[in-house]
Amino acid sequence: MIKAIFSGLAVLVLALLIYAATKPDSFRVERTTHIEASPERIFPLIADFHQWAKWSPWEKADPALKRTFSGSESGMGAIYRWDGNKNVGQGQMEIIESTPPGKLRIKIDFITPFEGHNTVEFTLVPEGNGTRVSHAMFGPSPYISKLMGIFFSMDKMIGEKFEEGLSGLKSLAEAG
């Protein structure tokens, strides 16, 4: 009986491992909102890491978050390092492409709790009297991420934070 239980568990674990291997080798999470403000009003709030404390949900997840800024003040070459609690971990962002007022691309490197190297992209497109703002993150999906993806939805976890951040950005830009 015990042998049959262990054999069944071994088959289940093997099936999960094989299933994880079939998952895509990359991921993309994206959320979009409409903000009643011009791209010229919104873009500086994104291109200047000093402004992120006003709208980014990750900034609020750790009141004792340690931040350092280097490189350019904003735009291309601006660098932001953070070191926080288990909710925000440790890492670095660097703006690698800045095309005001329509596109910003950031290289993001997570150190803890999990190592990861991805790209964040903001796209701002005029729409009526406002702007359609998209916030995306994409990159490789190593095997451990594929395995974790069986039990946790990366799109749901990160997507909810993107929605929260876009909502904060909307409030800030529309109040301006």
Side-chain angles (χ1 to χ4, degrees):
M1 177 70 165
I2 291 194
K3 185 177 178 182
I5 291 172
F6 281 125
S7 293
L9 284 174
V11 167
L12 179 63
V13 168
L14 183 60
L16 286 173
L17 294 173
I18 291 169
Y19 177 66
T22 67
K23 295 287 204 176
D25 292 331
S26 62
F27 77 96
R28 182 178 182 91
V29 175
E30 183 171 1
R31 296 295 187 270
T32 301
T33 194
H34 178 84
I35 298 178
E36 287 294 324
S38 69
E40 292 80 9
R41 168 81 181 123
I42 301 164
F43 193 82
L45 300 173
I46 300 166
D48 181 354
F49 288 133
H50 299 89
Q51 299 294 318
W52 284 44
K54 297 176 184 175
W55 61 268
S56 173
W58 286 282
E59 293 283 337
K60 297 166 183 64
D62 179 4
L65 184 67
K66 295 179 189 100
R67 304 166 184 85
T68 56
F69 303 94
S70 61
S72 302
E73 257 317 288
S74 68
M76 184 81 144
I79 298 171
Y80 169 67
R81 290 181 183 88
W82 74 90
D83 189 0
N85 63 21
K86 64 182 174 73
N87 296 321
V88 295
Q90 181 182 18
Q92 173 179 301
M93 293 189 290
E94 179 180 358
I95 298 176
I96 58 171
E97 181 182 339
S98 179
T99 311
K103 186 175 182 183
L104 190 78
R105 204 171 246 208
I106 301 167
K107 180 178 90 156
I108 186 166
D109 298 306
F110 300 98
I111 299 167
T112 62
F114 299 102
E115 184 177 353
H117 308 282
N118 301 305
T119 302
V120 170
E121 186 175 80
F122 288 91
T123 308
L124 292 81
V125 177
E127 182 179 74
N129 291 330
T131 306
R132 186 177 73 242
V133 180
S134 295
H135 183 185
M137 184 165 70
F138 52 91
S141 188
Y143 183 75
I144 190 71
S145 296
K146 295 177 187 186
L147 191 57
M148 288 173 54
I150 294 172
F151 305 102
F152 305 102
S153 168
M154 186 140 165
D155 186 79
K156 185 175 183 332
M157 289 187 317
I158 295 173
E160 286 177 356
K161 288 293 189 185
F162 282 7
E163 290 167 10
E164 192 178 331
L166 287 169
S167 176
L169 186 61
K170 178 181 177 74
S171 295
L172 186 62
E174 289 178 354

